Amino acid sequence: PRTGDGKVLHVDVGEGDVANRIITVGTARRAAVLASHFDGVDDRGPKNCPGVFFHESDRGFTTYTGTFGGVGVSVVAIGMGMAMMDFAVRELRSVVDGPALMVRFGTCGGLRADVPEGTVVVATMGSVCVTRDPDLFEPEPPAPSGESEQTAGRNEGKSEGKCEDKSEVLSEGEPPPKKARVFGRGGGAYRISKPALPDALLSTSLIECLRAELGASAVVPGLNATADSFYSSQGRLDPNFDDRAEGLIEKLIALHPDAASMEMESFTLLDLSRFSRGAIKAAACAIVVANRPTGKVVPGSTLARIEDRGGKAVMEAIARHPL
């Protein structure tokens, strides 16, 4: 669907506004940092320089298009979450002719102590998706009138032809056991998908350019995990909600020992790229702003330096990579 003037509904851009090489970031501030590296940008900033397209949509998307080393590149701030990435990938794809390259340059939490704050994780092994199953959070049905909770617990499922679980025998007055909190593929409170893979050569270009700019030790290849929430699906415990997320991160690491980063966007980009009928090559990288095992957070000045220098490296990688 398009608006009356032919623009896509949410990013609010049309044909000719976006280049075939696209970098997505989370914030408008970071988009401006990257756009400052466009050819011809001076002290006026990228918003005010001739030759740079700039637009802010009412739906929270900020788009810059210019050239880097003579190659057309767009930088798009999309906000946070899987839905915003879905809007961006689908709508940007629809206004670009020919093949496209898309790279996410974001921020994330670190899942391993050996991937400290300030590291850039390149998702060379792809991204898994961690999602909450809402069907397992339905309230328990009330006991029939005149039936005790204990009796209801023992008889639950009989009328539906289910096998009775005889592994627990409740004494009079003993509360029924809580439901098991199971994690993993195929069921439980949270589902962990198989990885969606990036374009291998584009990921290699990212590593090479980032290491040249930031140093070899500052860039780590690994597996990303994308969650559908900043809270429950990332194992953060909130006493105000019955999220049943205890042990989720430990289960994720047990299933995927190479998991190094966790955020809310990369899986969607990589997943859509593999179903784009060959039209999109995609890769993802993110700065570790907080290390979950150690609790350490990157200083603001360090983050600003990595966003600037790392962002320039990402622009170089996507500009030099063939479509």
Side-chain angles (χ1 to χ4, degrees), residues 134-144 149-150 152-157 160 162 176-181 242 244:
D135 290 341
L136 294 183
F137 290 82
E138 292 183 356
E140 294 287 346
E149 290 186 5
Q150 288 79 13
R154 288 194 293 268
N155 293 337
E156 183 180 351
E160 300 177 6
K162 298 179 180 178
K178 293 183 178 179
K179 287 186 176 180
R181 297 180 174 183
D242 178 23
R244 307 181 193 179

Side-chain angles (χ1 to χ4, degrees), residues 9-12 55-61:
L9 294 182
H10 304 92
V11 187
D12 194 35
H55 181 69
E56 292 176 307
S57 82
D58 291 338
R59 295 291 187 173
F61 295 89

